[in-house]
Amino acid sequence: MKIRLKDIAEEVGVSIAAVSQVLNDKPIRISEKKKRLIKQLAKENNYSPNIAAKSLVLNKTNTIGLVIPDINNPFFAQLAKVLEDQLRKIGYLLILVNSDDHFAAEKELIQLLIDRNVDGLLLALSSESYTYEEELKEFLSSISVPLVLVDRGLDNFPVGQVFYNNRQGGYLATMELINNGHQNIGIMMNPDKNINCIYRYQGYLDALKEAQLPQQESWRVVTKFQFEDAYDKADQLLNNQAITGIVAGNDLIALGIMKRAKKLGINIPEEMSIVGYDNLILNDLLEVPLTSVEQDVTVLGEKAVASLLSAMKEQAPRYLQLTPKIVRKKSVGKRLESKIE
Ligand code: RIB
């Protein structure tokens, strides 16, 4: 039978905590003779720590839970990798779960992670959760484990939050088109349910207002952060003869639009310019490399881990808005003179 802390403690006549302290080379007020005996018994019996028992003694599991809304989205896959790397370097195991952008699943998964005694939680909120904001805030307030919101914030809620300035990102994307002569600019994203899109959409409106350009309801198409949804709905903008530029809520939406444009025989950027969001690694592999707003996930991940470690030390919540930047590639061109009314 595998020897346990309890067996060594009984053999030597000390507490389980004392055995744990000795085997972890932590200070403990017992005789050197007993310390030697503890180490000898552990070595002779090939003792290896029982993580569950160790966590009981130390009241920590060295595990962190991460909830993301879409494991299929390369943005979240990249973010999860950065977080896992960062946490492993400091001795934490990351447990990754996927809410599929649904609030009910998100709450259930958070509870499962808490039941497994994670030491902290990193949460990229589901789009749906913003529809139930009061219930969301009530639920998050009931969580007893240190928590940091990463990538998707929550206004007027006192918890650690690390995300990029989405209003600035939406402004940068739209100004990229305006600075290339585009005046009738469409937008495709999910401003009804997702806080990041709500602010990206505000940034789009800010740029149009600053440049005194028109905005029409029919130039705004609501879609999920998904390729298929964007492909199915792209005609509403691609077939609009007035529009010469499109701001996409993320790169998957932009890819759906670009695929549909190719199907329709619409040339990018000659006949339609497009700006994406996330600057995914795959953008360079496209037939027309996508100009996109970058949210550096390495910086996002590093700052989120630092904020969580701070929360775990019961320090004041860290609220951090990072600065996005435009990364110019080939999907934005000068507006064609033929398109000028
Ligand atoms: O691509 C997914 C989008 O949702 C990203 O822009 C990220 O900000 C996330 O919130």
Side-chain angles (χ1 to χ4, degrees):
M1 184 179 80
K2 186 173 177 336
I3 192 169
R4 303 165 303 172
L5 285 178
K6 180 175 180 294
D7 304 320
I8 297 174
E10 285 172 0
E11 179 71 23
V12 177
V14 297
S15 69
I16 291 174
V19 174
S20 176
Q21 290 293 94
V22 169
L23 294 181
N24 285 288
D25 295 320
K26 297 280 177 55
I28 181 78
R29 292 170 63 83
I30 62 172
S31 69
E32 287 306 314
K33 184 180 176 187
K34 287 191 173 182
K35 286 181 183 179
R36 285 195 300 274
L37 182 54
I38 287 169
K39 292 200 172 184
Q40 181 187 332
L41 283 169
K43 187 175 180 184
E44 287 171 356
N45 292 278
N46 299 317
Y47 167 77
S48 63
N50 173 314
I51 299 301
K54 186 176 177 183
S55 67
L56 285 175
V57 171
L58 301 175
N59 193 27
K60 66 183 293 197
T61 59
N62 279 53
T63 54
I64 299 295
L66 169 63
V67 187
I68 59 173
D70 182 0
I71 202 163
N72 288 321
N73 184 325
F75 173 85
F76 290 112
Q78 289 169 15
L79 176 60
K81 182 179 184 324
V82 170
L83 291 169
E84 200 274 334
D85 287 345
Q86 290 291 319
L87 288 165
R88 183 145 31 100
K89 279 178 192 166
I90 55 176
Y92 283 93
L93 175 72
L94 180 75
I95 302 177
L96 168 64
V97 292
N98 174 46
S99 68
D100 254 344
D101 243 343
H102 292 306
F103 186 36
E106 186 171 56
K107 288 189 289 182
E108 183 185 339
L109 290 165
I110 289 171
Q111 193 54 57
L112 286 172
L113 290 167
I114 292 172
D115 293 348
R116 277 157 181 75
N117 297 316
V118 292
D119 296 333
L121 277 170
L122 290 164
L123 179 52
L125 287 169
S126 64
S127 295
E128 192 180 52
S129 67
Y130 293 97
T131 308
Y132 308 99
E133 187 162 330
E134 287 320 307
E135 184 186 341
L136 170 65
K137 288 182 175 178
E138 193 178 321
F139 173 72
L140 295 180
S141 300
S142 71
I143 292 175
S144 56
V145 172
L147 162 71
V148 166
L149 303 184
V150 54
D151 170 59
R152 294 178 177 177
L154 186 56
D155 292 341
N156 308 312
F157 191 69
V159 75
Q161 303 189 34
V162 182
F163 54 89
Y164 277 87
N165 185 327
N166 290 285
R167 186 162 187 165
Q168 189 178 5
Y171 174 85
L172 289 173
T174 310
M175 285 309 291
E176 186 63 15
L177 293 166
I178 292 171
N179 293 336
N180 280 279
H182 299 278
Q183 298 181 343
N184 298 339
I185 299 170
I187 189 162
M188 186 178 262
M189 52 174 68
N190 183 0
D192 298 340
K193 279 193 177 171
N194 178 286
I195 193 167
N196 285 7
C197 285
I198 289 168
Y199 283 109
R200 290 174 197 174
Y201 182 61
Q202 284 304 316
Y204 161 80
L205 296 177
D206 293 343
L208 294 181
K209 184 177 179 185
E210 181 181 302
Q212 298 178 323
L213 291 175
Q215 198 274 329
Q216 295 187 15
E217 196 51 32
S218 63
W219 296 357
R220 172 184 182 268
V221 176
V222 176
T223 177
K224 294 175 186 169
F225 277 133
Q226 291 171 1
F227 172 89
E228 299 79 5
D229 204 29
Y231 182 89
D232 292 342
K233 297 178 180 175
D235 287 18
Q236 296 176 55
L237 299 180
L238 292 171
N239 291 335
N240 184 317
Q241 293 309 305
I243 291 173
T244 63
I246 300 173
V247 172
N250 77 342
D251 286 350
L252 299 181
I253 293 171
L255 298 180
I257 298 168
M258 294 169 87
K259 175 94 184 275
R260 184 61 184 163
K262 185 171 175 68
K263 185 85 173 174
L264 295 174
I266 297 172
N267 296 314
I268 308 273
E270 295 77 8
E271 296 173 90
M272 183 66 74
S273 288
I274 296 178
V275 181
Y277 211 111
D278 291 341
N279 191 35
L280 296 178
I281 294 168
L282 58 85
N283 287 1
D284 285 319
L285 308 177
L286 301 175
E287 201 175 318
V288 178
L290 180 62
T291 295
S292 186
V293 176
E294 181 172 86
Q295 308 188 94
D296 185 327
V297 286
T298 301
V299 173
L300 180 61
E302 288 169 352
K303 299 294 185 187
V305 168
S307 179
L308 182 61
L309 293 177
S310 169
M312 289 159 69
K313 292 172 191 159
E314 297 178 0
Q315 292 169 352
R318 289 187 188 181
Y319 181 97
L320 194 55
Q321 263 203 117
L322 302 169
T323 304
K325 68 176 184 180
I326 194 86
V327 177
R328 294 184 180 86
K329 292 176 183 166
K330 304 289 187 189
S331 62
V332 174
K334 297 290 183 196
R335 181 182 61 160
L336 290 178
E337 289 312 309
S338 63
K339 280 271 188 176
I340 293 177
E341 287 70 56

